[in-house]
Amino acid sequence: MTNAHVVSWAKQLLVRKYQDPRPYLAQIEYIAHDCDLAILSVEDPQFFDSMEALETGNLPTVRSTVITYGYPAGGEQISYTKGVVSRIDHQPYSHIGNRGFLTVQTDAAINPGNSGGPVIQDDKVVGVAFQGMAGLEGAGFFIPPPIISHFMKDIEDGVYDGFPSAGLRISMMQNPAFREYLKIPGKDLGVRIDSIDIIAQTGKYLQLEDVILQVGPYKVGSDSTIVYEGNRVNLGVAFNLVQNGESLPLKVWRNASETNVSLPMKTITGDAAEGNQYTLPRYYIHAGLVFTPLSLSYLKTFGQNWADSASSEIVFELFYRRHETPEQYRQE
C-alpha cells in the first residue's frame, strides 16, 4: 500500500526491497484519490520472498508512541523516526483538494519522501504517512486505520467506489436565541442544515432547517463535533465511516419534534471538478481558443495564490453556485 499522490501520473513504477539492490516493476491495482491511498502489485513474485505481512492495528491514542518508516530526502537508505501522537482530528486531504477525513498528527518527522511509508505501533500498521502542513514545524500527518480499513473493505468486490458524501452544509447551533426559535431541547446538541447539494439527492430525506442531533451512534455537539473513540472531532467523521450504498441512521429535530431518518449514502461523482484532476481534461479548440471544463486544477494554473489571482466569478461558479443559486447551476 502507498499513497495515491505518489503514483498518480506515473509512467513507470519501481519498488525496492530492504537490503535488495534490485528494482522491481509494480502496477497500480486500486487507487483512491479521495483518501490518498493506493495498492500496488509487484510483477515478480520473488519480491515477497522472506517477507512477512503486518496486521493493521487500531487507532492510536493521543500521547502514545509511533515509528515511521520511509525514504525522505537527505539520503538513499531507509529512515526511521520516532514520535508521539499529538492529536487526532478531521483535516483536509491535500491530494484530493476538496475532501477531509480523519487524520492523525505526530511529531515524528514526516518529510517529502516519507509519503506512503507505514506508521508502526506494537508491530502493527496504524497509519500511512501522507502530508505535512506549510508553516508548521515538527508536525506530520498520517492516514489512520479507520480510513485504511474503509478502503480495503470497499475494494473487496474488485471495484473502488469511494467515500460517500451526504452533500450537506451545516451551521453551528450555539446561538441561544436561534435555539429557542427552533425549540431545540438542551444547550449542547444539534447542528442546523444550511444547504443541501443538489447533486447528492439528500433533499429527498432531509430538509433545510433540520437540526441533526445524532449520526449513527454519535451525538452531535452544537459546535458540529462528535466524540469518536475518545476524541472530539468534526461531524464529518461519522459520515465517512459508512460504505457507498449503505444507509446511515440519523436523529433529526424537525418542526419542534424529533424524527428518525435513514439516509442512503452515495458517492458523489459530479463534484469531481471541485477537486484536483487525475485524468486528462476534455478540451475543444475553436478559432484559436481552447475551451476546457472549469476545475480546481485549472485554477491552480494561476499560481500558488490562485484564490486571490483568479476572478471571484469563476471561483463562485466552481465552489458556491450550486449551493447559493442551484437553479442556475451547470455541470460545466
Side-chain angles (χ1 to χ4, degrees):
M1 180 175 291
T2 186
N3 291 132
H5 77 261
V6 173
V7 298
S8 293
W9 302 106
K11 297 293 185 182
Q12 184 184 62
L13 295 175
L14 296 175
V15 296
R16 293 184 178 272
K17 185 178 176 181
Y18 179 62
Q19 299 290 40
D20 187 340
R22 175 187 169 190
Y24 294 82
L25 192 64
Q27 302 289 340
I28 298 174
E29 286 292 311
Y30 300 97
I31 189 164
H33 291 294
D34 50 0
C35 65
D36 199 1
L37 291 172
I39 290 182
L40 307 182
S41 62
V42 181
E43 294 186 355
D44 190 342
Q46 209 172 13
F47 175 80
F48 298 99
D49 290 349
S50 73
M51 295 182 68
E52 184 176 338
L54 295 176
E55 296 181 9
T56 301
N58 298 318
L59 180 69
T61 58
V62 175
R63 295 188 297 276
S64 64
T65 302
V66 294
I67 299 175
T68 66
Y69 295 73
Y71 290 85
E76 297 296 325
Q77 300 305 311
I78 192 169
S79 170
Y80 311 88
T81 59
K82 185 177 182 180
V84 299
V85 172
S86 307
R87 62 180 159 190
I88 296 171
D89 208 346
H90 183 275
Q91 293 285 347
Y93 278 30
S94 60
H95 179 61
I96 185 67
N98 68 336
R99 297 291 301 273
F101 300 100
L102 191 67
T103 310
V104 180
Q105 180 181 330
T106 177
D107 65 352
I110 294 179
N111 296 302
N114 271 112
S115 294
V119 181
I120 305 295
Q121 184 179 79
D122 298 329
D123 295 327
K124 293 183 179 181
V125 177
V126 295
V128 176
F130 80 125
Q131 69 184 31
M133 188 173 292
L136 290 183
E137 295 184 6
F141 299 88
F142 62 87
I143 302 169
I147 304 301
I148 298 171
S149 297
H150 189 288
F151 170 57
M152 297 298 290
K153 183 179 180 181
D154 190 320
I155 63 175
E156 286 179 355
D157 61 356
V159 177
Y160 181 68
D161 298 306
F163 281 76
S165 174
L168 300 174
R169 298 175 73 185
I170 59 177
S171 297
M172 298 181 185
M173 285 300 299
Q174 296 179 318
N175 185 315
F178 203 0
R179 294 184 68 87
E180 183 178 354
Y181 169 74
L182 294 177
K183 301 178 181 178
I184 305 172
K187 298 180 179 179
D188 300 322
L189 292 181
V191 290
R192 183 179 64 91
I193 296 177
D194 186 55
S195 69
I196 302 174
D197 198 321
I198 59 174
I199 294 176
Q201 302 297 312
T202 305
K204 297 178 181 179
Y205 305 90
L206 296 173
Q207 304 172 11
L208 298 181
E209 299 290 310
D210 278 354
V211 176
I212 301 175
L213 303 175
Q214 185 169 326
V215 179
Y218 306 104
K219 294 183 177 180
V220 180
S222 59
D223 61 347
S224 73
T225 62
I226 63 171
V227 177
Y228 177 71
E229 296 194 18
N231 306 282
R232 185 161 286 278
V233 296
N234 184 272
L235 165 64
V237 171
F239 287 98
N240 295 155
L241 295 175
V242 299
Q243 294 286 344
N244 181 56
E246 294 181 348
S247 292
L248 185 61
L250 307 179
K251 286 186 179 181
V252 174
W253 186 259
R254 179 185 298 167
N255 298 326
S257 65
E258 185 178 303
T259 183
N260 294 316
V261 175
S262 181
L263 179 65
M265 296 293 291
K266 297 289 185 180
T267 301
I268 298 177
T269 58
D271 69 342
E274 283 193 7
N276 293 314
Q277 306 299 290
Y278 306 108
T279 56
L280 293 175
R282 295 163 44 251
Y283 63 92
Y284 175 72
I285 301 176
H286 178 74
L289 298 175
V290 180
F291 296 85
T292 189
L294 178 61
S295 68
L296 175 60
S297 293
Y298 170 75
L299 292 184
K300 286 185 175 180
T301 64
F302 285 86
Q304 186 175 1
N305 299 320
W306 59 266
D308 298 324
S309 302
S311 71
S312 58
E313 287 81 6
I314 62 175
V315 173
F316 179 82
E317 286 292 340
L318 181 59
F319 295 107
Y320 304 105
R321 170 70 71 187
R322 73 171 189 242
H323 300 289
E324 301 294 333
T325 55
E327 68 281 358
Q328 299 177 19
Y329 172 73
R330 298 177 298 167
Q331 288 284 348
E332 297 181 359

